[in-house]
Amino acid sequence: MAREKHDYDDIPGTFVFDAERSRQGYGINMFCMSLMKEDNRNAFKANEADYLKKFKLTPEQTDAILKRDYNRMLELGGNIYFTAKLGAADGHSFQHLAAVMTGASQQDYASMMLGGGRSVEGNRSRTGKNAPSKFIASAAKPKAKAKKSKAKKSKSAKRK
């Protein structure tokens, strides 16, 4: 069954973990949480494909896990905090996983984060339909009103 489309699905690189995605990714998330136990990590490492059969996964979810395609796991309902358990089981830090997911090196990712994060320019919309935040646009309006009120005061002051 296809996911219902939402406005927030238009944001590039973002998979909002909503109720629908949570239901979709239940198997992925239960698998990832199982990796908190050492016996389960060992069983998974011994035969990954066989271990995954214990969970209700779609073929796409199984493929994403085996390929360590974290972005695809998120798209298919994985929760970022749960999928990080898989990365930790593989010996990776969260920063390493974040770099992998953005397609950057760990150093480039760290530099981007220290520099304030990813720019919003070009990252607002996949379709081009999403405009800049209404809060940013409304922040400029009070300044314009303030200028008009000053102009009115100066005109009325001249009349007196």
Side-chain angles (χ1 to χ4, degrees):
M1 190 168 114
R3 253 183 70 76
E4 182 182 328
K5 293 292 181 186
H6 303 279
D7 288 343
Y8 51 73
D9 289 330
D10 194 34
I11 304 168
T14 302
F15 302 106
V16 177
F17 189 72
D18 57 11
E20 187 177 0
R21 195 161 261 129
S22 173
R23 285 187 293 277
Q24 177 189 16
Y26 183 81
I28 292 174
N29 296 318
M30 291 302 99
F31 153 69
C32 291
M33 290 305 291
S34 78
L35 298 177
M36 293 178 67
K37 294 183 178 178
E38 185 177 5
D39 290 346
N40 293 337
R41 286 191 302 274
N42 292 337
F44 176 64
K45 288 176 184 178
N47 188 334
E48 293 184 2
D50 192 50
Y51 184 80
L52 291 176
K53 291 177 184 175
K54 297 179 182 183
F55 302 91
K56 292 181 180 178
L57 299 168
T58 66
E60 294 84 9
Q61 291 170 330
T62 300
D63 187 56
I65 292 168
L66 293 173
K67 290 180 178 176
R68 304 304 195 268
D69 186 344
Y70 291 93
N71 284 324
R72 183 74 173 134
M73 283 187 261
L74 297 181
E75 184 180 5
L76 295 171
N79 178 294
I80 185 70
Y81 298 105
F82 294 167
T83 56
K85 303 289 183 202
L86 175 57
D90 286 340
H92 300 299
S93 68
F94 192 78
Q95 184 179 3
H96 170 82
L97 295 175
V100 166
M101 293 169 74
T102 59
S105 70
Q106 228 175 311
Q107 182 57 47
D108 288 344
Y109 178 79
S111 296
M112 178 179 65
M113 292 287 87
L114 290 170
R118 182 176 65 174
S119 168
V120 297
E121 294 308 317
N123 290 309
R124 286 194 171 107
S125 168
R126 287 184 177 101
T127 62
K129 293 179 183 176
N130 282 346
S133 169
K134 63 183 177 183
F135 299 108
I136 294 172
S138 66
K141 289 180 183 176
K143 291 180 183 177
K145 288 180 183 177
K147 288 180 183 178
K148 287 179 184 177
S149 64
K150 285 182 183 179
K152 286 180 183 178
K153 285 181 184 177
S154 63
K155 286 182 183 177
S156 62
K158 287 180 183 178
R159 288 183 195 155
K160 290 182 183 179

